[in-house]
């Protein structure tokens, strides 16, 4: 495990029933940086992302060999509490999924779940989280409004704020901008750049330009395998594997 790595994956194999979805994956992911996963649909990007907060546990027939360690702890150990893990590893999905509650209650939901009941403290968390997600100025006078009444781009930033409210170490973004318009996408990308100084961000994206714009490291997946993992600038300018070259130049995918 390299000095600044927070996630350490070693000989990871994942099966959905008989389907071998991830094949002998080993890599370190550094903390307080953005790592992008790219590759064609069905290549294993989102599957690997979901191993970091054990979301695959919810899929019947899933079997895992190998290890995934976060900050030195094997997260598939029997001693690991999954709810605590998901507090440390937040996730934002492809489609904005705010709860059918007020903007305020969306953000306060996680802290309340983890025992925060003091209203003043909740007010602070809501404001801090919305500021961190670059949404406070847009919604501060409407906190009692339904979260479903704001735009899709605002809803996605609200979901980021909701994830940040429980003070995670890692933020997973599973194609978090693919359902958004270009202006909202740009806001999320700018937000990710600001957040990387405080959080480790791992993003799955179909948009190679996005990976090139915002990430420091990029991983190229194909058929459940890691083909190439390098600093983003080098991977896009001088890939070492012909399959990477073929994908980023548009020959397939």
């Amino acid at each position: 495990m390299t000095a600044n790595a927070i996630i350490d994956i070693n000989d990871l194999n994942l099966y959905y029933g008989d389907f071998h979805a991830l094949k002998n994956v080993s890599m370190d992911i550094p903390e307080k940086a953005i790592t992008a996963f790219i590759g064609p649909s069905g290549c294993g990007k989102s599957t690997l992302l979901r191993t970091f907060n054990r979301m695959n546990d919810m899929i019947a027939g899933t079997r895992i060999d190998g290890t995934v360690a976060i900050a030195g702890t094997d997260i598939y150990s029997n001693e690991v509490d999954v709810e605590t893990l998901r507090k440390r590893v937040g996730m934002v999905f492809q489609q904005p999924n705010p709860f059918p509650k007020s903007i305020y209650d969306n953000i306060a939901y996680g802290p309340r779940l983890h025992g925060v009941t003091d209203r003043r403290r909740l007010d602070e968390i809501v404001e801090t989280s919305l500021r961190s997600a670059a949404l406070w100025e847009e919604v501060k006078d409407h906190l009692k409004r339904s979260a479903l009444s704001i735009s899709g781009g605002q809803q996605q930033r609200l979901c980021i704020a909701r994830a940040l409210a429980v003070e995670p170490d890692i933020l997973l973004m599973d194609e978090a901008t693919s359902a958004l318009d270009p202006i909202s996408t740009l806001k999320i990308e700018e937000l990710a750049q600001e957040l990387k100084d405080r959080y480790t961000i791992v993003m799955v994206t179909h948009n190679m330009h996005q990976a090139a714009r915002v990430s420091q490291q990029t991983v190229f997946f194909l058929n459940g395998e890691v083909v190439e993992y390098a600093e983003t600038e080098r991977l896009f300018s001088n890939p070492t594997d012909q399959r990477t070259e073929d994908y980023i130049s548009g020959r397939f995918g």
Side-chain angles (χ1 to χ4, degrees), residues 186-243:
L186 180 60
K187 286 184 177 179
I188 299 282
E189 289 180 5
E190 290 172 344
L191 175 58
Q193 292 282 29
E194 293 170 14
L195 293 175
K196 78 176 189 298
D197 295 331
R198 290 181 282 153
Y199 305 94
T200 300
I201 298 175
V202 188
M203 60 161 43
V204 166
T205 179
H206 271 299
N207 185 332
M208 284 184 284
H209 296 295
Q210 181 174 74
R213 280 193 300 267
V214 305
S215 70
Q216 285 71 58
Q217 297 79 221
T218 296
V219 188
F220 171 52
F221 291 82
L222 193 61
N223 300 323
E225 298 179 9
V226 172
V227 172
E228 190 160 353
Y229 177 21
E231 290 185 2
T232 297
E233 187 175 350
R234 192 197 63 67
L235 185 137
F236 281 99
S237 63
N238 188 28
T240 59
D241 192 291
Q242 185 61 45
R243 292 169 294 176

Side-chain angles (χ1 to χ4, degrees), residues 103 133-142 145 150-151 154 157 187:
I103 293 168
L135 192 57
W136 174 252
E137 292 300 328
E138 294 169 48
V139 302
K140 64 182 180 182
D141 298 323
H142 311 288
R145 275 178 61 184
I150 58 179
S151 73
Q154 289 174 320
R157 280 182 284 149
K187 286 184 177 179

Side-chain angles (χ1 to χ4, degrees), residues 47-197:
T47 296
L48 182 60
L49 195 76
R50 290 194 299 264
T51 66
F52 302 155
N53 63 353
R54 293 186 50 173
M55 290 289 283
N56 292 310
D57 291 12
M58 301 177 181
I59 302 172
T62 301
R63 178 167 61 84
I64 283 181
D65 299 326
T67 59
V68 179
I70 292 180
T73 298
D74 179 2
I75 64 170
Y76 285 87
S77 159
N78 291 333
E79 285 79 52
V80 168
D81 178 74
V82 176
E83 289 307 312
T84 303
L85 171 68
R86 291 179 185 152
K87 180 177 182 291
R88 292 188 63 199
V89 185
M91 192 163 190
V92 181
F93 297 90
Q94 183 173 357
Q95 295 286 344
N97 62 341
F99 302 138
K101 301 172 178 286
S102 70
I103 293 168
Y104 184 100
D105 286 338
N106 264 267
I107 307 299
Y109 180 86
R112 284 175 176 148
L113 200 64
H114 293 284
V116 179
T117 56
D118 179 70
R119 179 67 187 219
R120 188 178 301 172
R121 177 68 185 124
L122 287 170
D123 289 348
E124 290 173 356
I125 291 170
V126 168
E127 179 173 347
T128 299
S129 302
L130 288 169
R131 284 189 184 279
S132 293
L135 192 57
W136 174 252
E137 292 300 328
E138 294 169 48
V139 302
K140 64 182 180 182
D141 298 323
H142 311 288
L143 296 178
K144 292 182 179 179
R145 275 178 61 184
S146 168
L148 303 178
S149 70
I150 58 179
S151 73
Q154 289 174 320
Q155 287 184 19
Q156 194 66 303
R157 280 182 284 149
L158 179 68
C159 292
I160 292 171
R162 186 176 66 194
L164 299 181
V166 294
E167 300 179 339
D169 299 317
I170 298 166
L171 184 63
L172 309 178
M173 304 179 77
D174 192 2
E175 296 192 52
T177 63
S178 64
L180 303 180
D181 62 87
I183 292 172
S184 297
T185 294
L186 180 60
K187 286 184 177 179
I188 299 282
E189 289 180 5
E190 290 172 344
L191 175 58
Q193 292 282 29
E194 293 170 14
L195 293 175
K196 78 176 189 298
D197 295 331

